Amino acid sequence: MILRLRLRCRGAVQGVGFRPTVHRLATEAGLSGKVWNDPGGASIEIEGEEPAVRAFARNLPLSMPPLARLDQLDTEEIPPTGDTIFEVVRSQQGRPTSAGVPPDAAICSACRRELKDQSDRRFGHAFITCTDCGPRYSLVHSLPYDRPRTSMGCFPLCPPCLSEYTDPADRRFHAEPVCCPECGPRLWLADSEGTELAQDAEAIDQTAKALNDGLVIAIKGLGGFQLACRADLADAVDRLRKCKRRPSKPFAVMVADSAAAHRLVRLGDADETLLKSPRCPILLAPRQQDDGVSDNVAPGMEDLGIVLPTTPLHLLLFNHLGDHPLVMTSGNASDEPICKGNREATDRLGAIADLFLIHDRDIVRRVDDSVARSSATPIVAAGVSPAVAVPSGPFLVRRARGWVPEPLFMPEATPEPVLAVGAHLQVTAAIASGNQTVLTPHIGDLDTDEARTFLREAIEHLEDLMEVRPEILVADAHPDYPSRWLAEELAERRSGRLIEVQHHLAHAASVLAEHGRFPDTGESALVMAMDGTGWGPAHSAWGGEWLIVRGDLSWQRAGQLEPMTLVGGEAAVREPWRIAVAAVASSGTATVLKSTPMAQTIGLERIETMAQLANGHSWPLATGAGRLFEACGALLGLATVNTFEGEAAILLEAHAVNVQAPEPWEEVQIQQGSTILPSVALLTAAARRTAAGEPTERVAAGFHATFCRLAGSITTQIIETHGPPTTVAATGGCLVNRLLRQGLPKHISTPLFLPTRLPPGDGGLAFGQAVLAATCLARGCDPTVLLAPEASTD
């Protein structure tokens, strides 16, 4: 019996070798029909003897090319047509149902081999690519994803490349960025005035020599420019820091291969797999001793950010540099978006970079590097056996190149498109359409006009790609966030509707939806939301909360950290020593501060003045867990002032990691039946132990261990009081901390879900906002429920 099936394929099926794979599978099976790209993904019509056709449909999901992802496969029988061949036909136009273009991908092993093969016509070609690798999202203008709709459309293919491009059996069939030295982009080296100094291979040779001489080079990467210098040359690193206005925030380091990475950091199997994958993020991993990298690359940090070459241009540079590591950081000054255009780069980076290695393939969309963190740690909690497996494997800290615009799935399909704009720090925006949400690349903090312009640009690009203009706008409840102002403006311009979402509720929704655990009707979830600061009800500052979230979208604050005094308001966020002084002074033990490392940095007079100010004014209060860890970092003299977000807390973790099996402090306890974590008592205990001469490393480790025990006790108390939830999770920026991710599950007797595919911090917030608004619309809930809890301990 002859059977013809139509298969509608949804997911990452354009520009990833999907159609050649289908063509190969069909011809090998002796089947006829056709395959084509359509606005929703790709469609197949397959005809032949029924057993062979059925087998084709079963095997297709198991035979996908490396970059492809099949999210949905719908099959229907249609009348046979009598076709005798299988062919790839022209793409169909129309409105896309999602951002179906795949993420940018690091160079694949096949292209690496050709790049080094002197007999290959693409030997040494800085733009070598195929269907399994290379730029995708960063160069596409619109869908369907075909060459004329990318920035490669202006490079006519030479006959050999055209033959590969049109041959379904070839690895480069419809690889839209395909080219060769005869028909591809041009590479050159220029000075800061834009004057051309060298081309092609000579440009790469001179760039390598300049790096070896200690110069800073701006290099055009996949989604924007990067700034590079030798990571083992202290003077070069110091000069880059000064010119980039980045006094202490760590730099990423690029190395030639995984063997070089192992010499610099400790990698588990899952870490190495991710590092070598097409996603190829920057991976934060524990440093090896004597790694040979300048101390100023990651001052005071236990981790080093490692990345492997993502482009053929990077590999060609390492052919000259050998094992010398490179600082490879985003091409911008601090608090600005990454540069993408050649003239933009020379204008904005001229005071930072000595030379520019550039080309004429346009970057359409800015996409910064993604950042993941290894879960590897030597810490083993003494005397505590985890009730469940401790989460392991790397997790995302920043979601951009390699992941964007890969969609995330919603608990329920949204009745109409939704645009969520995030908060203020680590911003991403998100568009929900149907049962999927697509996030923009990492935008960053919205402190500058340039960053706010980038947010608008990223939203407009995503709307153009998905061909939607959402009239439902979702924003954080904080009235002074520029992201909220943008949402208000768009809602007014589009005659739309603004939905406000409380900050930590959005965090909770993000981690629950990521794991497919968002509560249905009649279910509930308990989520620990631990970050620095978020706008709470009645203008309060939250940041250490236990939230119960129910299927009807009602929610409750069931536990919290004890509020701490922010002496000076926002100044206390930048200068966490103020919080430490105020907390310890409020316990009546301010004299112990004189014997802490903080006193050596701040001075006794300033500490005494701050203690008096703390008691004599009505300052804002905050429950932020991030503020608590920063205050302890300041107390131990690790960073009394934050030069970047969370610096004191990051250094506190780094200070603690080499202490084996730290014991929680018995002198810090939770009152019977209470669900308030005693922040002041915890800080005071740290001050007393430090003043008594306990090594600061042991104090830092004990502080983490005690916090985890206290948090576990509160979680247990809430479950006993309110009944067992369907899901228990933890999220927020503090869950970037490896010790918390490992320590918290050991004190909770149920599986603890943590963010993995989304950043724990505000980079994942827009997804949670979109989930809540869409679910609210789908379930017919009053959206004001998303703004304030049903009941509060506040």
Side-chain angles (χ1 to χ4, degrees):
M1 173 182 172
I2 300 298
L3 175 69
R4 189 177 183 93
L5 293 180
R6 177 178 291 140
L7 287 70
R8 291 187 175 87
C9 308
R10 300 297 177 255
V13 292
Q14 294 188 16
V16 291
F18 179 76
R19 289 174 295 171
T21 297
V22 171
H23 182 275
R24 175 178 55 80
L25 293 173
T27 53
E28 287 177 353
L31 301 172
S32 62
K34 57 187 176 180
V35 60
W36 67 95
N37 283 343
D38 61 37
S43 292
I44 305 167
E45 290 185 6
I46 192 78
E47 183 173 329
E49 293 292 335
E50 181 175 5
V53 171
R54 298 288 186 193
F56 174 92
R58 286 194 308 271
N59 293 333
L60 179 63
L62 306 176
S63 307
M64 303 289 283
L67 298 184
R69 188 191 69 257
L70 191 59
D71 298 329
Q72 182 179 340
L73 179 63
D74 298 325
T75 305
E76 64 172 322
E77 293 189 22
I78 58 175
T81 65
D83 289 342
T84 58
I85 62 170
F86 192 91
E87 58 184 338
V88 179
V89 299
R90 184 182 298 273
S91 299
Q92 288 186 355
Q93 306 298 307
R95 180 180 176 276
T97 57
S98 69
V101 62
D104 298 323
I107 181 171
C108 69
S109 57
C111 285
R112 282 173 180 257
R113 287 193 296 271
E114 291 178 350
L115 187 69
K116 297 179 180 180
D117 184 356
Q118 295 187 22
S119 66
D120 194 279
R121 71 188 187 92
R122 291 189 175 89
F123 168 70
H125 181 48
F127 306 97
I128 191 170
T129 183
C130 69
T131 52
D132 293 341
C133 67
R136 298 292 190 271
Y137 175 72
S138 63
L139 55 69
V140 67
H141 290 288
S142 62
L143 294 179
Y145 176 57
D146 289 320
R147 188 180 179 94
R149 297 179 184 85
T150 73
S151 59
M152 289 299 293
C154 61
F155 296 96
L157 291 167
C158 67
C161 285
L162 183 61
S163 175
E164 294 170 334
Y165 182 80
T166 54
D167 180 1
D170 195 276
R171 190 174 102 246
R172 292 187 168 90
F173 176 73
H174 275 272
E176 310 309 341
V178 68
C179 61
C180 74
E182 296 299 319
C183 62
R186 189 174 70 88
L187 177 73
W188 69 95
L189 182 68
D191 62 20
S192 58
E193 300 298 322
T195 303
E196 185 173 312
L197 304 176
Q199 295 183 24
D200 301 325
E202 179 62 22
I204 294 170
D205 181 60
Q206 289 194 23
T207 298
K209 289 178 180 177
L211 289 166
N212 285 331
D213 288 339
L215 299 187
V216 174
I217 313 296
I219 300 172
K220 196 171 186 179
L222 279 178
F225 275 77
Q226 298 167 305
L227 290 167
C229 72
R230 281 269 299 270
D232 52 347
L233 299 180
D235 289 345
V237 175
D238 294 347
R239 191 161 64 87
L240 178 56
R241 280 208 176 279
K242 181 179 179 181
C243 294
K244 192 174 162 69
R245 304 194 303 271
R246 186 166 170 166
S248 55
K249 190 175 183 180
F251 284 137
V253 173
M254 181 176 282
V255 292
D257 51 35
S258 59
H262 276 284
R263 289 193 289 270
L264 268 61
V265 296
R266 299 196 299 272
L267 297 173
D269 291 343
D271 299 328
E272 185 167 9
T273 297
L274 180 60
L275 198 61
K276 295 168 66 175
S277 75
R279 299 187 191 273
C280 193
I282 296 169
L283 180 70
L284 306 176
R287 300 178 71 157
Q288 300 281 19
Q289 291 185 345
D290 302 323
D291 55 24
V293 171
S294 168
D295 291 340
N296 206 18
V297 167
M301 300 295 168
E302 172 68 15
D303 279 6
L304 190 64
I306 290 290
V307 65
L308 298 184
T310 55
T311 70
L313 182 55
H314 291 141
L315 283 172
L316 292 172
L317 278 173
F318 276 104
N319 285 343
H320 295 272
L321 294 167
D323 287 340
H324 293 303
L326 292 178
V327 165
M328 195 66 70
T329 188
S330 54
N332 57 3
S334 292
D335 301 322
E336 293 181 358
I338 190 172
C339 295
K340 68 172 185 175
N342 294 348
R343 183 170 298 177
E344 176 192 10
T346 53
D347 288 346
R348 287 175 49 199
L349 303 179
I352 304 175
D354 299 297
L355 297 172
F356 292 77
L357 187 59
I358 52 184
H359 54 76
D360 55 356
R361 183 179 69 197
D362 287 343
I363 296 171
V364 178
R365 303 168 193 275
R366 304 175 205 269
V367 190
D368 217 327
D369 290 326
S370 292
V371 180
R373 193 175 193 200
S374 167
S375 291
T377 176
I379 297 300
V380 180
V384 179
S385 298
V388 295
V390 174
S392 61
F395 57 94
L396 274 182
V397 176
R398 185 168 78 192
R399 189 177 188 271
R401 177 187 51 75
W403 275 268
V404 173
E406 189 175 283
L408 300 160
F409 288 91
M410 305 283 282
E412 294 185 32
T414 180
E416 54 184 305
V418 169
L419 168 60
V421 296
H424 183 73
L425 302 176
Q426 307 167 22
V427 170
T428 61
I431 294 178
S433 180
N435 67 345
Q436 296 183 348
T437 294
V438 180
L439 270 67
T440 67
H442 169 79
I443 306 297
D445 302 346
L446 300 182
D447 292 322
T448 64
D449 289 340
E450 292 84 358
R452 297 165 193 172
T453 299
F454 182 22
L455 175 60
R456 288 177 179 270
E457 173 190 298
I459 289 172
E460 290 170 0
H461 278 175
L462 191 55
E463 289 181 335
D464 290 344
L465 199 61
M466 299 179 70
E467 294 186 11
V468 294
R469 289 293 185 273
E471 296 177 359
I472 302 295
L473 287 302
V474 195
D476 194 274
H478 199 300
D480 294 329
Y481 282 171
S483 57
R484 181 202 171 94
W485 304 339
L486 175 59
E488 290 173 341
E489 175 194 320
L490 293 175
E492 182 177 0
R493 187 194 309 165
R494 298 174 182 181
S495 300
R497 180 182 182 187
L498 177 68
I499 295 177
E500 299 174 86
V501 176
Q502 199 277 327
H503 188 92
H504 300 95
L505 179 63
H507 272 307
S510 179
V511 66
L512 293 172
E514 175 190 337
H515 291 284
R517 309 287 299 191
F518 196 85
D520 289 327
T521 302
E523 295 180 339
S524 66
L526 174 61
V527 182
M528 286 178 272
M530 303 290 174
D531 64 3
T533 304
W535 187 261
H539 299 186
S540 57
W542 283 14
E545 323 303 325
W546 280 256
L547 305 181
I548 297 174
V549 184
R550 304 184 184 89
D552 62 1
L553 300 188
S554 64
W555 58 290
Q556 179 179 355
R557 187 195 200 192
Q560 64 174 87
L561 267 64
E562 178 186 7
M564 295 177 296
T565 303
L566 303 183
V567 182
E570 283 296 319
V573 177
R574 297 187 300 273
E575 302 178 9
W577 69 273
R578 294 167 176 257
I579 301 174
V581 171
V584 177
S586 70
S587 69
T589 58
T591 55
V592 302
L593 294 172
K594 298 178 181 179
S595 302
T596 63
M598 179 176 67
Q600 300 174 19
T601 302
I602 298 302
L604 295 179
E605 184 176 344
R606 293 179 72 194
I607 287 177
E608 291 172 357
T609 301
M610 192 58 58
Q612 293 171 3
L613 285 172
N615 293 327
H617 293 75
S618 180
W619 298 108
L621 299 175
T623 61
R627 302 285 88 86
L628 175 62
F629 281 86
E630 289 171 359
C632 188
L635 190 73
L636 301 186
L638 305 176
T640 54
V641 176
N642 285 325
T643 64
F644 61 90
E645 185 192 5
E647 180 178 9
I650 293 170
L651 290 171
L652 182 71
E653 179 195 354
H655 209 56
V657 294
N658 291 317
V659 176
Q660 297 295 319
E663 292 281 359
W665 301 335
E666 291 302 321
E667 68 265 32
V668 187
Q669 298 290 337
I670 297 172
Q671 293 183 7
Q672 184 68 31
S674 174
T675 56
I676 297 178
L677 191 147
S679 305
V680 171
L682 186 55
L683 272 177
T684 301
R688 284 175 170 160
R689 286 172 171 263
T690 305
E694 186 170 330
T696 55
E697 292 86 354
R698 292 206 62 82
V699 174
F703 188 90
H704 279 85
T706 307
F707 181 91
C708 290
R709 174 179 59 79
L710 296 172
S713 297
I714 290 174
T715 303
T716 301
Q717 178 65 46
I718 292 171
I719 292 173
E720 291 176 353
T721 302
H722 296 273
T726 308
T727 302
V728 179
T731 187
C734 292
L735 270 299
V736 171
N737 185 313
R738 191 182 287 130
L739 301 184
L740 295 186
R741 293 179 74 96
Q742 296 256 332
L744 286 171
K746 298 178 181 182
H747 298 277
I748 297 172
S749 59
T750 188
L752 183 66
F753 290 87
L754 302 174
T756 302
R757 294 180 295 117
L758 281 168
D762 287 1
L765 200 73
F767 178 56
Q769 292 173 338
V771 164
L772 288 164
T775 306
C776 189
L777 295 173
R779 296 182 184 178
C781 303
D782 181 354
T784 59
V785 73
L786 307 179
L787 190 57
E790 182 180 84
S792 176
T793 60
D794 198 18

